Amino acid sequence: MNSASAAVAGAVTFVWVGMVLAISFLEAPLKFRAPGVTIPIGLGIGRLVFRALNLVEAVFAVVVAVVVATASPTAAASGLTASAVVLLLVQLVAVRPPLNRRSDAVLAGEDPALHRSRAHLYYVGLETLKLAALIALGCVLLAQ
C-alpha cells in the first residue's frame, strides 16, 4: 500500500474513531445526566445525533473501503476494513430498527420500564467491537 493511500485511509479512520468515542461513549450517556433532560427529550436528541453520526460513518466507511481496496492492501488492512464495515452494517440494518421502534414507543408515551429491550446492549457491544477494529486498522495503516 502506498504511503499517500495509507495516510488518507488512516486519517479518515482516526477521525471516525474520534467521532464514535465522542458521541457513543461520551455524549450519549452524559446527556441523560443533564438537568432537565427527560427520557423523551434525551431520546429525541439521541435519534438526531445518531442518525447524523451513522450517515457520516457510512461515508467514512465507503471512503476507507475504496482507498484501502484500490491501494494493494495488506491482509490485515483488508480484514480490519471489512470488519469495521460489516459491524457498521449490522448496527444499521439489524440493531437500529429495533432501537427506533423502542424509542418510537417511549416517545408515544410507553413507560420504558415496562418492556425492556436488549437492542441497546447489542448496539453498544457492536460499537465496542467496531471501535477496536477501527483503532487496529488505524495502527496498521500508520505502519504502512
Side-chain angles (χ1 to χ4, degrees):
M1 178 175 249
N2 68 50
S3 60
S5 295
V8 169
V12 173
T13 298
F14 280 119
V15 171
W16 188 357
V17 165
M19 290 183 72
V20 169
L21 284 171
I23 293 173
S24 294
F25 294 101
L26 188 61
E27 181 276 338
L30 288 178
K31 83 172 146 262
F32 290 101
R33 293 183 179 180
V37 175
T38 63
I39 289 176
I41 289 171
L43 286 176
I45 293 167
R47 287 172 67 148
L48 290 171
V49 169
F50 275 92
R51 187 177 302 128
L53 171 65
N54 291 153
L55 177 63
V56 172
E57 283 188 290
V59 171
F60 286 173
V62 169
V63 169
V64 171
V66 168
V67 172
V68 168
T70 59
S72 303
T74 63
S78 295
L80 290 166
T81 300
S83 295
V85 170
V86 166
L87 289 164
L88 175 62
L89 286 172
V90 171
Q91 284 181 301
L92 297 178
V93 173
V95 182
R96 278 294 303 270
L99 283 174
N100 287 340
R101 286 190 295 275
R102 175 91 170 119
S103 62
D104 286 343
V106 172
L107 290 171
E110 180 181 295
D111 182 356
L114 291 179
H115 301 96
R116 295 280 182 197
S117 168
R118 292 184 185 240
H120 184 258
L121 297 176
Y122 296 137
Y123 193 91
V124 171
L126 290 165
E127 195 79 326
T128 302
L129 292 172
K130 182 179 69 188
L131 184 61
L134 287 170
I135 291 169
L137 174 61
C139 292
V140 164
L141 292 170
L142 279 178
Q144 301 289 314

